[in-house]
């Protein structure tokens, strides 16, 4: 995990999903978006509340030009794409400083009975919503959802195609990700502090104005402009992982504009940086326990019992910390502890990748780090031969560190590491030290962690998975309890998020919510 996993679900191709300081890339970070079940009932359009303004009504006259813009859709592969203008600073909009948000859609199969647009965000922060729609155009939601909704994805400000923030050169980013993520000597702590400062300074130098306006609240305001641009009076939305934080923030800012909203794999908006790290450490520990219990059922390279395999994994991380492994790629870094942890973490996002992880660990235990490095590359978006696709590993800090600042004192992270490790021995120190860049971040935000109730919103459906590694189940319960109008759907299972991962109970409930407006029973367990 880039220091700290990211919350994200990315369409995956070969490998698996990932985390990041809050989750991901990887071709995989996520989920096998398998097809959902059909509702086989006629669609029911949502009824906007009485007195709700027109779709293009702006919150203030100064923003009218953004809310009334017409998107010029053009064909781009299997999608239609458009550019959307938003102000850099909503408090002081200046057309000369506008940002360009890249938007894409797949039109509903049944345009005559179209229910509107379903805006989706796969997480991160830093994952591309456009690539999520491109790779999941036939698998996001069930057939009836795709029949009646335009699927709309966007790259949030500072991410991928939307004025991306690029803070480090490829070589410098290799170095950043190679650093020991569990420093246990003063020298190692100083090395990590140096790299954390380099990331922070690089982001500020690359985009001194943009770096001030990359908070989740900024992105949520962009999403309301997008709602207006697609002509919907209320926002229909699917947010996964970090996308749940974005969605709940939207509900906080625009509660009456909430349409049919599903938040799957929750990051509560009131989490502090320390709470985020501690929760993710426990989540990855639970997922690791589930993995080793499965691993020892056959020929597990880590040990013959779950306890022995857990110790074997810890010993392996210590071994590559002392002596990094070759990867067979002259352009790639050696497999350090940092890269090894990324490779393991990404495979824990989806139990379908556990077999791949076992094979990679067997190979690494024999002295070859190539396969585990390939998993880590998938998480980080690193290409074979060098270079990175997208800017996930930079934008995740640029967003998270505005949303959740942390302490500049090394002693704070030493205490985090001790406290987290008491509950999560394998992952505690890793997740504790992962927030260090946020302790030295050069700009501050006024949008700090806080509880959200969204009074007056339509019912919001919250989904939680009991053994989710990146967004622990209790966080879904926490958000459901904060919201004035919400229900909780629980999936007793492994992996990151639940909807679209072939569980008929979850998929049917969410499909019916989107298509018929049928709210699932609060407390539904699948």
């Amino acid at each position: 995990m880039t220091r700290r996993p990211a919350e994200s679900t990315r369409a995956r191709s070969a490998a698996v999903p990932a985390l990041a300081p809050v989750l991901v890339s990887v071709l995989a970070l996520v989920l096998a978006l398998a097809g959902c079940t059909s509702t086989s009932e006629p669609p029911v359009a949502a009824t906007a509340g009485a007195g709700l303004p027109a779709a293009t009504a702006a919150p203030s006259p100064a923003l009218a030009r953004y809310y009334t813009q017409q998107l010029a859709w053009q064909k781009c592969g299997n999608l239609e794409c458009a550019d959307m203008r938003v102000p850099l600073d909503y408090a002081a909009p200046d057309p000369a400083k506008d940002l360009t948000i890249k938007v894409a859609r797949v039109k509903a199969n049944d345009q005559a009975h179209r229910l509107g647009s379903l805006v989706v965000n796969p997480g991160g922060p830093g994952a591309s919503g456009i690539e999520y729609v491109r790779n999941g155009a036939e698998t996001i939601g069930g057939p009836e959802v795709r029949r009646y909704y335009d699927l709309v994805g966007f790259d949030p400000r500072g991410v991928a195609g939307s004025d991306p923030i690029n803070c480090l050169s490829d070589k410098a980013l290799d170095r950043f990700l190679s650093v020991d993520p569990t420093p246990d000597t003063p020298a190692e702590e100083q090395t990590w502090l140096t790299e954390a400062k380099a990331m922070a300074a690089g982001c500020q130098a690359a985009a001194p104005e943009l770096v001030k306006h990359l908070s989740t609240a900024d992105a949520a305001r962009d999403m309301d402009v997008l709602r207006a641009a697609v002509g919907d009076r209320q926002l229909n939305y699917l947010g996964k992982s970090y996308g749940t934080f974005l969605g709940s923030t939207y509900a906080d800012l625009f509660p009456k504009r909430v349409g049919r909203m599903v938040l799957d794999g929750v990051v509560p908006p009131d989490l502090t940086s320390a709470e985020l790290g501690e929760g993710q450490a426990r989540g990855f520990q639970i997922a690791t326990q589930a993995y080793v219990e499965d691993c020892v059922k056959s020929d597990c390279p880590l040990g013959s019992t779950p306890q022995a395999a857990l110790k074997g994994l810890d010993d392996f991380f210590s071994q590559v910390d002392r002596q990094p492994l070759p990867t067979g790629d002259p352009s790639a870094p050696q497999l350090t502890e940092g890269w090894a942890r990324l490779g393991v973490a990404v495979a824990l996002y989806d139990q379908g990748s556990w077999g791949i992880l076992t094979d990679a660990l067997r190979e690494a235990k024999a002295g070859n780090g190539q396969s585990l490095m390939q998993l880590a590359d998938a998480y980080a978006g690193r290409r074979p031969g060098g270079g990175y696709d997208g800017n996930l590993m930079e934008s995740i800090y640029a967003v998270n560190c505005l949303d959740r600042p942390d302490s500049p004192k090394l002693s704070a992270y030493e205490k985090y590491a001790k406290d987290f490790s008491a509950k999560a021995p394998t992952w505690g120190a890793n997740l504790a030290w992962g927030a260090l860049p946020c302790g030295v971040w050069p700009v501050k935000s006024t949008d700090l962690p806080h509880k959200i109730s969204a009074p007056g919103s339509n019912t919001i459906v919250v989904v939680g998975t009991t053994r989710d590694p990146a967004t622990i189940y209790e966080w879904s319960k926490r958000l459901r309890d904060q919201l004035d109008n919400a229900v909780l759907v629980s999936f007793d299972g492994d992996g990151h998020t639940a909807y679209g991962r072939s569980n008929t109970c979850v998929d049917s409930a969410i499909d019916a919510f989107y298509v018929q407006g049928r709210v699932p029973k609060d407390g539904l367990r699948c």
Side-chain angles (χ1 to χ4, degrees):
M1 307 147 298
T2 148
R3 296 349 212 181
R4 178 173 287 187
E7 302 105 42
S8 157
T9 50
R10 253 177 115 167
R12 61 193 206 133
S13 87
V16 196
L19 230 195
V22 197
L23 253 168
V24 121
S25 178
V26 55
L27 296 173
L29 214 189
V30 98
L31 311 151
L33 302 161
C36 305
T37 58
S38 169
T39 61
S40 68
E41 296 181 29
V44 178
T47 302
L52 188 68
T56 56
S60 71
L63 298 175
R65 65 187 300 269
Y66 304 102
Y67 275 77
T68 57
Q69 66 185 295
Q70 300 291 313
L71 299 183
W73 296 101
Q74 297 181 350
K75 193 72 175 173
C76 57
N78 64 329
L79 306 175
E80 291 183 347
C81 297
D83 291 347
M84 183 180 76
R85 300 187 320 278
V86 297
L88 172 70
D89 183 356
Y90 276 88
D94 178 354
K97 297 180 179 179
D98 283 354
L99 303 177
T100 299
I101 303 298
K102 298 293 184 179
V103 182
R105 72 179 178 187
V106 176
K107 297 182 75 172
N109 293 326
D110 187 350
Q111 285 290 305
H113 300 95
R114 176 180 171 275
L115 293 174
S117 294
L118 178 62
V119 176
V120 298
N121 181 278
S128 168
I130 290 178
E131 291 307 308
Y132 184 59
V133 170
R134 186 187 306 280
N135 295 324
E138 300 302 322
T139 54
I140 296 173
E144 298 298 287
V145 173
R146 298 191 299 277
R147 177 179 177 182
Y148 296 118
Y149 283 96
D150 295 344
L151 297 181
V152 178
F154 69 104
D155 290 349
R157 57 171 59 201
V159 172
S162 297
D163 289 297
I165 187 165
N166 293 296
C167 310
L168 297 175
S169 68
D170 291 343
K171 289 295 185 183
L173 188 53
D174 281 351
R175 185 170 61 248
F176 177 87
L177 295 173
S178 295
V179 170
D180 186 349
T182 58
D184 48 20
T185 68
E188 289 177 345
E189 290 181 5
Q190 286 298 322
T191 298
W192 177 213
L193 178 60
T194 297
E195 293 300 327
K197 288 180 176 179
M199 174 65 80
C203 288
Q204 185 175 42
E209 290 300 315
L210 178 62
V211 76
K212 303 173 187 176
H213 300 285
L214 290 176
S215 72
T216 296
D218 288 316
R221 294 183 177 96
D222 294 343
M223 200 155 63
D224 197 51
V225 175
L226 176 57
R227 173 201 56 74
V230 297
D232 288 350
R233 294 178 71 193
Q234 292 183 309
L235 177 74
N236 302 306
Y237 179 74
L238 171 62
K240 293 200 168 195
S241 201
Y242 162 80
T244 66
F245 179 29
L246 178 59
S248 61
T249 300
Y250 179 90
D252 185 43
L253 295 171
F254 309 101
K256 297 295 181 64
R257 291 291 191 180
V258 171
R260 294 172 181 173
M261 177 175 284
V262 175
L263 306 178
D264 183 7
V266 168
V267 181
D270 63 326
L271 283 183
T272 65
S273 178
E275 287 176 318
L276 176 66
E278 189 266 352
Q280 287 194 328
R282 287 191 287 118
F284 272 88
Q285 195 71 38
I286 291 169
T288 301
Q289 180 69 38
Y291 163 69
V292 297
E293 289 175 359
D294 180 78
C295 183
V296 299
K297 292 176 181 178
S298 55
D299 182 21
C300 184
L302 299 173
S304 58
T305 67
Q307 183 177 8
L310 271 179
K311 183 178 185 302
L313 181 61
D314 293 340
D315 290 346
F316 170 71
F317 286 144
S318 296
Q319 175 189 337
V320 292
D321 183 26
R322 295 189 302 270
Q323 187 174 356
L325 297 177
T327 62
D329 181 356
S331 69
Q334 288 187 304
L335 186 78
T336 63
E337 181 187 354
W339 286 107
R341 285 182 176 273
L342 278 179
V344 172
V346 71
L348 293 177
Y349 271 77
D350 182 357
Q351 66 270 35
S353 299
W354 289 356
I356 297 172
L357 174 59
T358 297
D359 290 343
L361 285 169
R362 180 177 292 107
E363 185 179 284
K365 293 275 286 183
N368 184 351
Q370 183 176 21
S371 293
L372 200 55
M373 187 69 188
Q374 289 172 347
L375 283 171
D377 283 348
Y379 174 99
R382 189 180 184 279
R383 296 189 298 271
Y388 289 80
D389 292 321
N391 66 332
L392 171 70
M393 308 311 279
E394 295 149 305
S395 58
I396 194 166
Y397 290 102
V399 176
N400 280 335
C401 294
L402 280 180
D403 290 338
R404 296 184 177 87
D406 214 312
S407 173
K409 298 181 179 179
L410 291 176
S411 59
Y413 302 92
E414 293 169 352
K415 186 177 187 306
Y416 293 161
K418 180 179 179 181
D419 293 346
F420 296 4
S421 294
K423 299 177 181 179
T426 300
W427 297 103
N430 188 175
L431 274 297
W433 283 98
L436 183 57
C438 295
V440 296
W441 207 251
V443 294
K444 307 300 178 185
S445 172
T446 58
D447 299 310
L448 298 178
H450 63 281
K451 290 183 178 181
I452 284 174
S453 59
S457 76
N458 283 322
T459 303
I460 296 172
V461 178
V462 177
V463 183
T465 298
T466 56
R467 292 181 295 280
D468 190 317
T471 53
I472 56 177
Y473 176 65
E474 67 195 59
W475 288 350
S476 293
K477 295 193 293 182
R478 178 169 171 165
L479 179 61
R480 183 261 172 269
D481 290 342
Q482 288 180 24
L483 292 168
D484 278 7
N485 194 10
V487 298
L488 175 64
V489 174
S490 301
F491 171 51
D492 184 9
D494 298 291
H496 184 42
T497 75
Y499 179 50
R501 300 188 68 229
S502 298
N503 181 270
T504 301
C505 172
V506 173
D507 294 347
S508 297
I510 303 305
D511 287 350
F513 174 65
Y514 279 133
V515 178
Q516 277 85 43
R518 187 185 306 143
V519 177
K521 180 182 178 181
D522 188 26
L524 174 66
R525 294 192 67 88
C526 296

Tab-separated table of all heavy atoms in Angstrom, residues 320-356:
chain	number	residue	atom	x	y	z
A	320	VAL	N	12.907	-9.262	3.343
A	320	VAL	CA	13.113	-8.383	2.188
A	320	VAL	C	13.478	-6.976	2.630
A	320	VAL	O	14.039	-6.199	1.843
A	320	VAL	CB	11.883	-8.350	1.258
A	320	VAL	CG1	11.694	-9.686	0.574
A	320	VAL	CG2	10.620	-7.933	1.989
A	321	ASP	N	13.180	-6.635	3.884
A	321	ASP	CA	13.656	-5.361	4.430
A	321	ASP	C	15.172	-5.382	4.540
A	321	ASP	O	15.858	-4.413	4.194
A	321	ASP	CB	13.017	-5.124	5.797
A	321	ASP	CG	13.415	-3.777	6.404
A	321	ASP	OD1	13.749	-2.845	5.635
A	321	ASP	OD2	13.374	-3.644	7.643
A	322	ARG	N	15.699	-6.529	5.001
A	322	ARG	CA	17.154	-6.661	5.138
A	322	ARG	C	17.833	-6.865	3.790
A	322	ARG	O	18.913	-6.333	3.538
A	322	ARG	CB	17.487	-7.839	6.061
A	322	ARG	CG	17.043	-7.676	7.498
A	322	ARG	CD	17.612	-8.779	8.370
A	322	ARG	NE	17.221	-10.107	7.898
A	322	ARG	CZ	16.121	-10.754	8.302
A	322	ARG	NH1	15.308	-10.177	9.179
A	322	ARG	NH2	15.847	-11.961	7.838
A	323	GLN	N	17.193	-7.653	2.923
A	323	GLN	CA	17.808	-8.010	1.643
A	323	GLN	C	16.744	-8.023	0.540
A	323	GLN	O	16.086	-9.030	0.323
A	323	GLN	CB	18.483	-9.383	1.744
A	323	GLN	CG	19.283	-9.758	0.507
A	323	GLN	CD	20.064	-11.044	0.690
A	323	GLN	OE1	20.070	-11.641	1.768
A	323	GLN	NE2	20.739	-11.491	-0.363
A	324	PRO	N	16.573	-6.915	-0.172
A	324	PRO	CA	15.582	-6.854	-1.255
A	324	PRO	C	15.855	-7.906	-2.325
A	324	PRO	O	16.998	-8.354	-2.507
A	324	PRO	CB	15.760	-5.436	-1.810
A	324	PRO	CG	16.337	-4.666	-0.665
A	324	PRO	CD	17.237	-5.622	0.056
A	325	LEU	N	14.804	-8.296	-3.034
A	325	LEU	CA	14.898	-9.366	-4.021
A	325	LEU	C	14.977	-8.816	-5.442
A	325	LEU	O	14.372	-7.784	-5.750
A	325	LEU	CB	13.666	-10.284	-3.919
A	325	LEU	CG	13.462	-11.037	-2.608
A	325	LEU	CD1	12.157	-11.829	-2.670
A	325	LEU	CD2	14.648	-11.958	-2.340
A	326	PRO	N	15.678	-9.518	-6.317
A	326	PRO	CA	15.682	-9.123	-7.735
A	326	PRO	C	14.303	-9.386	-8.344
A	326	PRO	O	13.561	-10.263	-7.902
A	326	PRO	CB	16.745	-10.030	-8.353
A	326	PRO	CG	16.782	-11.241	-7.460
A	326	PRO	CD	16.506	-10.724	-6.065
A	327	THR	N	13.983	-8.597	-9.373
A	327	THR	CA	12.668	-8.740	-10.010
A	327	THR	C	12.760	-9.161	-11.467
A	327	THR	O	11.731	-9.348	-12.118
A	327	THR	CB	11.903	-7.411	-9.932
A	327	THR	OG1	12.630	-6.407	-10.657
A	327	THR	CG2	11.717	-6.968	-8.484
A	328	GLY	N	13.971	-9.278	-11.985
A	328	GLY	CA	14.133	-9.687	-13.378
A	328	GLY	C	13.919	-8.561	-14.368
A	328	GLY	O	13.961	-8.779	-15.582
A	329	ASP	N	13.674	-7.347	-13.900
A	329	ASP	CA	13.459	-6.185	-14.759
A	329	ASP	C	14.503	-5.135	-14.413
A	329	ASP	O	14.437	-4.519	-13.346
A	329	ASP	CB	12.054	-5.629	-14.549
A	329	ASP	CG	11.760	-4.428	-15.437
A	329	ASP	OD1	12.670	-3.981	-16.162
A	329	ASP	OD2	10.623	-3.922	-15.393
A	330	PRO	N	15.489	-4.915	-15.313
A	330	PRO	CA	16.551	-3.949	-15.009
A	330	PRO	C	16.030	-2.543	-14.745
A	330	PRO	O	16.667	-1.756	-14.042
A	330	PRO	CB	17.423	-3.988	-16.274
A	330	PRO	CG	17.112	-5.289	-16.924
A	330	PRO	CD	15.669	-5.569	-16.612
A	331	SER	N	14.844	-2.215	-15.291
A	331	SER	CA	14.306	-0.864	-15.115
A	331	SER	C	13.522	-0.725	-13.814
A	331	SER	O	13.210	0.392	-13.395
A	331	SER	CB	13.379	-0.510	-16.278
A	331	SER	OG	12.196	-1.283	-16.224
A	332	ALA	N	13.210	-1.848	-13.173
A	332	ALA	CA	12.374	-1.811	-11.978
A	332	ALA	C	13.238	-1.744	-10.723
A	332	ALA	O	14.375	-2.219	-10.703
A	332	ALA	CB	11.478	-3.043	-11.924
A	333	PRO	N	12.691	-1.175	-9.656
A	333	PRO	CA	13.396	-1.245	-8.373
A	333	PRO	C	13.472	-2.692	-7.908
A	333	PRO	O	12.733	-3.558	-8.393
A	333	PRO	CB	12.495	-0.427	-7.437
A	333	PRO	CG	11.545	0.325	-8.308
A	333	PRO	CD	11.402	-0.483	-9.556
A	334	GLN	N	14.362	-2.967	-6.979
A	334	GLN	CA	14.341	-4.272	-6.337
A	334	GLN	C	13.074	-4.381	-5.487
A	334	GLN	O	12.440	-3.382	-5.141
A	334	GLN	CB	15.582	-4.458	-5.465
A	334	GLN	CG	16.875	-4.663	-6.232
A	334	GLN	CD	18.017	-5.002	-5.303
A	334	GLN	OE1	18.315	-4.269	-4.364
A	334	GLN	NE2	18.665	-6.136	-5.551
A	335	LEU	N	12.707	-5.609	-5.154
A	335	LEU	CA	11.529	-5.820	-4.313
A	335	LEU	C	11.921	-5.548	-2.865
A	335	LEU	O	12.444	-6.418	-2.173
A	335	LEU	CB	10.993	-7.239	-4.465
A	335	LEU	CG	9.675	-7.484	-3.714
A	335	LEU	CD1	8.504	-6.889	-4.487
A	335	LEU	CD2	9.439	-8.977	-3.477
A	336	THR	N	11.672	-4.328	-2.424
A	336	THR	CA	11.905	-3.957	-1.035
A	336	THR	C	10.693	-4.327	-0.197
A	336	THR	O	9.663	-4.787	-0.710
A	336	THR	CB	12.146	-2.451	-0.918
A	336	THR	OG1	10.948	-1.771	-1.347
A	336	THR	CG2	13.321	-2.003	-1.771
A	337	GLU	N	10.761	-4.080	1.109
A	337	GLU	CA	9.601	-4.319	1.959
A	337	GLU	C	8.411	-3.466	1.511
A	337	GLU	O	7.263	-3.913	1.518
A	337	GLU	CB	9.923	-4.032	3.424
A	337	GLU	CG	8.732	-4.296	4.337
A	337	GLU	CD	8.971	-3.855	5.778
A	337	GLU	OE1	10.092	-3.449	6.121
A	337	GLU	OE2	7.999	-3.917	6.558
A	338	GLY	N	8.698	-2.228	1.112
A	338	GLY	CA	7.625	-1.349	0.663
A	338	GLY	C	6.870	-1.914	-0.524
A	338	GLY	O	5.636	-1.965	-0.539
A	339	TRP	N	7.594	-2.344	-1.538
A	339	TRP	CA	6.959	-2.917	-2.722
A	339	TRP	C	6.295	-4.253	-2.386
A	339	TRP	O	5.210	-4.574	-2.907
A	339	TRP	CB	7.978	-3.107	-3.831
A	339	TRP	CG	8.394	-1.836	-4.506
A	339	TRP	CD1	9.593	-1.188	-4.373
A	339	TRP	CD2	7.607	-1.047	-5.406
A	339	TRP	NE1	9.600	-0.051	-5.139
A	339	TRP	CE2	8.401	0.062	-5.791
A	339	TRP	CE3	6.330	-1.164	-5.932
A	339	TRP	CZ2	7.953	1.036	-6.664
A	339	TRP	CZ3	5.861	-0.188	-6.808
A	339	TRP	CH2	6.670	0.893	-7.173
A	340	ALA	N	6.925	-5.066	-1.526
A	340	ALA	CA	6.344	-6.368	-1.164
A	340	ALA	C	5.006	-6.189	-0.460
A	340	ALA	O	4.045	-6.922	-0.722
A	340	ALA	CB	7.311	-7.146	-0.273
A	341	ARG	N	4.929	-5.220	0.432
A	341	ARG	CA	3.664	-4.974	1.136
A	341	ARG	C	2.583	-4.500	0.166
A	341	ARG	O	1.400	-4.863	0.315
A	341	ARG	CB	3.869	-3.973	2.271
A	341	ARG	CG	4.578	-4.567	3.487
A	341	ARG	CD	4.732	-3.562	4.610
A	341	ARG	NE	5.328	-4.171	5.787
A	341	ARG	CZ	4.653	-4.810	6.747
A	341	ARG	NH1	3.333	-4.906	6.660
A	341	ARG	NH2	5.276	-5.328	7.779
A	342	LEU	N	2.952	-3.693	-0.807
A	342	LEU	CA	1.982	-3.282	-1.821
A	342	LEU	C	1.435	-4.495	-2.574
A	342	LEU	O	0.233	-4.609	-2.828
A	342	LEU	CB	2.626	-2.314	-2.810
A	342	LEU	CG	2.736	-0.844	-2.427
A	342	LEU	CD1	3.433	-0.068	-3.547
A	342	LEU	CD2	1.377	-0.231	-2.152
A	343	GLY	N	2.335	-5.390	-2.953
A	343	GLY	CA	1.922	-6.572	-3.706
A	343	GLY	C	0.995	-7.477	-2.917
A	343	GLY	O	0.010	-8.001	-3.449
A	344	VAL	N	1.280	-7.652	-1.635
A	344	VAL	CA	0.412	-8.472	-0.794
A	344	VAL	C	-0.928	-7.774	-0.579
A	344	VAL	O	-1.998	-8.390	-0.675
A	344	VAL	CB	1.091	-8.775	0.560
A	344	VAL	CG1	0.111	-9.462	1.510
A	344	VAL	CG2	2.331	-9.647	0.362
A	345	ALA	N	-0.875	-6.470	-0.303
A	345	ALA	CA	-2.105	-5.721	-0.008
A	345	ALA	C	-3.088	-5.767	-1.164
A	345	ALA	O	-4.297	-5.938	-0.977
A	345	ALA	CB	-1.765	-4.272	0.344
A	346	VAL	N	-2.582	-5.598	-2.376
A	346	VAL	CA	-3.498	-5.539	-3.507
A	346	VAL	C	-4.241	-6.861	-3.677
A	346	VAL	O	-5.420	-6.881	-4.024
A	346	VAL	CB	-2.749	-5.170	-4.793
A	346	VAL	CG1	-1.876	-6.286	-5.259
A	346	VAL	CG2	-3.715	-4.756	-5.874
A	347	ALA	N	-3.580	-7.956	-3.376
A	347	ALA	CA	-4.220	-9.264	-3.522
A	347	ALA	C	-5.251	-9.526	-2.437
A	347	ALA	O	-6.158	-10.339	-2.616
A	347	ALA	CB	-3.166	-10.363	-3.515
A	348	LEU	N	-5.132	-8.824	-1.317
A	348	LEU	CA	-6.097	-9.016	-0.238
A	348	LEU	C	-7.424	-8.322	-0.524
A	348	LEU	O	-8.418	-8.568	0.158
A	348	LEU	CB	-5.519	-8.494	1.087
A	348	LEU	CG	-4.327	-9.273	1.639
A	348	LEU	CD1	-3.809	-8.597	2.904
A	348	LEU	CD2	-4.708	-10.727	1.938
A	349	TYR	N	-7.463	-7.472	-1.538
A	349	TYR	CA	-8.700	-6.780	-1.875
A	349	TYR	C	-9.772	-7.712	-2.416
A	349	TYR	O	-10.948	-7.405	-2.357
A	349	TYR	CB	-8.431	-5.715	-2.927
A	349	TYR	CG	-8.049	-4.396	-2.341
A	349	TYR	CD1	-6.781	-4.197	-1.846
A	349	TYR	CD2	-8.967	-3.353	-2.277
A	349	TYR	CE1	-6.428	-2.993	-1.296
A	349	TYR	CE2	-8.609	-2.144	-1.734
A	349	TYR	CZ	-7.339	-1.957	-1.227
A	349	TYR	OH	-6.979	-0.761	-0.673
A	350	ASP	N	-9.356	-8.841	-2.954
A	350	ASP	CA	-10.316	-9.739	-3.607
A	350	ASP	C	-9.840	-11.173	-3.405
A	350	ASP	O	-8.733	-11.531	-3.829
A	350	ASP	CB	-10.400	-9.405	-5.102
A	350	ASP	CG	-11.412	-10.255	-5.855
A	350	ASP	OD1	-12.012	-11.153	-5.247
A	350	ASP	OD2	-11.591	-10.017	-7.062
A	351	GLN	N	-10.657	-11.982	-2.734
A	351	GLN	CA	-10.235	-13.348	-2.446
A	351	GLN	C	-9.977	-14.157	-3.710
A	351	GLN	O	-9.291	-15.182	-3.672
A	351	GLN	CB	-11.260	-14.066	-1.552
A	351	GLN	CG	-12.615	-14.310	-2.192
A	351	GLN	CD	-13.585	-13.173	-1.965
A	351	GLN	OE1	-13.192	-12.011	-1.929
A	351	GLN	NE2	-14.864	-13.511	-1.811
A	352	GLY	N	-10.493	-13.708	-4.854
A	352	GLY	CA	-10.194	-14.373	-6.109
A	352	GLY	C	-8.736	-14.271	-6.497
A	352	GLY	O	-8.265	-14.993	-7.383
A	353	SER	N	-7.995	-13.388	-5.838
A	353	SER	CA	-6.572	-13.206	-6.136
A	353	SER	C	-5.664	-13.919	-5.148
A	353	SER	O	-4.440	-13.824	-5.253
A	353	SER	CB	-6.236	-11.709	-6.133
A	353	SER	OG	-6.976	-11.025	-7.104
A	354	TRP	N	-6.248	-14.618	-4.179
A	354	TRP	CA	-5.415	-15.266	-3.167
A	354	TRP	C	-4.493	-16.323	-3.773
A	354	TRP	O	-3.340	-16.465	-3.340
A	354	TRP	CB	-6.297	-15.896	-2.091
A	354	TRP	CG	-6.966	-14.884	-1.197
A	354	TRP	CD1	-6.798	-13.529	-1.222
A	354	TRP	CD2	-7.912	-15.148	-0.164
A	354	TRP	NE1	-7.585	-12.930	-0.273
A	354	TRP	CE2	-8.287	-13.903	0.396
A	354	TRP	CE3	-8.503	-16.314	0.339
A	354	TRP	CZ2	-9.208	-13.807	1.453
A	354	TRP	CZ3	-9.419	-16.210	1.380
A	354	TRP	CH2	-9.753	-14.971	1.938
A	355	GLY	N	-4.971	-17.041	-4.754
A	355	GLY	CA	-4.113	-18.043	-5.382
A	355	GLY	C	-2.929	-17.408	-6.086
A	355	GLY	O	-1.799	-17.936	-6.042
A	356	ILE	N	-3.164	-16.269	-6.737
A	356	ILE	CA	-2.072	-15.540	-7.387
A	356	ILE	C	-1.054	-15.094	-6.344
A	356	ILE	O	0.163	-15.194	-6.554
A	356	ILE	CB	-2.635	-14.321	-8.139
A	356	ILE	CG1	-3.574	-14.765	-9.255
A	356	ILE	CG2	-1.510	-13.454	-8.706
A	356	ILE	CD1	-4.323	-13.608	-9.915
